[in-house]
Amino acid sequence: MSEAGYRLLDSGDRALTVELGRAVDPAINARVIALDAALRGDLLPLAAPAPRDRPLTLPPPHRPTFGGPIRVVLGPQADGFTADGLRTFLSAPYTLTARADRMGCHLDGPPIAHADGFNIVSDGIVNGSIQVPGHGRPLILLADRHTTGGYPKIATVISADLGRLAQVRPGETIRFAAVAVAEAQAIARAARSALAARLAALVPAGGGALDSAFLLSCNLVGGVVSARAPDPAP
């Protein structure tokens, strides 16, 4: 890092997290840098770090594991697709293409059949809306999405799985699984509780609680010898 900030480099990630805060002028009570408008080599200005005695770490037993299908609630235009189209969406693997950023991500895979065309009267789009344009491949809208759109939306990614979806890299495959609204709400509540538990479990890096689970997760011994064995030959 330079004194002025971080230099923006090429990265496969769609999230940049820094502790130092952004040294930019506030607008509408927020400080924002539009990374999609930044170019490689641009300098991102950063403010001074907040005082902290030691950095924090999350002990291995509390670290989340990721896997399984991306869970969705069908609709609001699920009736705009054929029964075979819905089966394809919920059974086929889809590959994340290079056309992916904070606005959305294009998937490649078997086309999803529309029931009656692919144009609707434009309506609202939420984070995680899955549109299916005329070519039949899903397009998932994300944090920097536009507010309305005219392609039918086959499903919506549940809020608890949005972060996991955002970490998928181009070339990786995902599958979808449908859940009911009530189940999605229960999963969201459980995810918030799990996050609160992880925040409470943070300990100073290099110190903190040294319970048996933490110690067993560390490679503390490089080898074992017997005190009664003869000395090795010089």
Side-chain angles (χ1 to χ4, degrees):
M1 190 191 84
S2 71
E3 292 182 358
Y6 280 107
R7 185 72 65 179
L8 184 63
L9 305 175
D10 281 331
S11 172
D13 297 327
R14 285 166 296 286
L16 174 64
T17 302
V18 292
E19 179 188 2
L20 304 184
R22 296 167 179 156
V24 296
D25 294 332
I28 319 179
N29 295 322
R31 299 176 187 273
V32 177
I33 294 177
L35 290 182
D36 56 347
L39 300 176
R40 184 179 62 180
D42 281 357
L43 194 66
L44 304 183
L46 300 175
R52 178 181 293 169
D53 293 336
R54 304 169 84 177
L56 300 176
T57 187
L58 188 63
H62 299 280
R63 295 175 187 173
T65 57
F66 301 104
I70 299 297
R71 293 164 291 187
V72 301
V73 173
L74 292 177
Q77 287 99 30
D79 58 353
F81 301 87
T82 66
D84 285 342
L86 288 170
R87 279 193 291 270
T88 298
F89 173 69
L90 294 174
S91 63
Y94 285 91
T95 302
L96 183 69
T97 71
R99 297 178 63 192
D101 55 25
R102 283 178 51 86
M103 290 187 66
C105 52
H106 293 254
L107 303 179
D108 191 18
I112 299 167
H114 295 87
D116 187 21
F118 56 87
N119 289 309
I120 63 171
V121 176
S122 294
D123 63 359
I125 292 176
V126 300
N127 197 3
S129 290
I130 305 177
Q131 293 182 323
V132 183
H135 52 57
R137 274 82 177 182
L139 164 61
I140 309 178
L141 284 306
L142 297 174
D144 287 348
R145 66 199 177 278
H146 43 283
T147 57
T148 63
Y151 294 129
K153 295 174 285 297
I154 193 170
T156 304
V157 178
I158 68 173
S159 60
D161 283 0
L162 284 172
R164 183 157 59 92
L165 173 64
Q167 295 304 311
V168 177
R169 293 175 177 271
E172 295 180 344
T173 60
I174 61 174
R175 292 178 180 269
F176 298 103
V179 299
V181 172
E183 184 179 357
Q185 292 170 337
I187 293 170
R189 288 191 291 268
R192 285 196 295 269
S193 296
L195 177 59
R198 293 188 191 106
L199 292 174
L202 288 169
V203 296
L210 298 178
D211 57 21
S212 60
F214 176 78
L215 293 173
L216 288 172
S217 70
C218 302
N219 182 18
L220 301 177
V221 179
V224 178
V225 297
S226 171
R228 298 180 180 178
D231 293 336

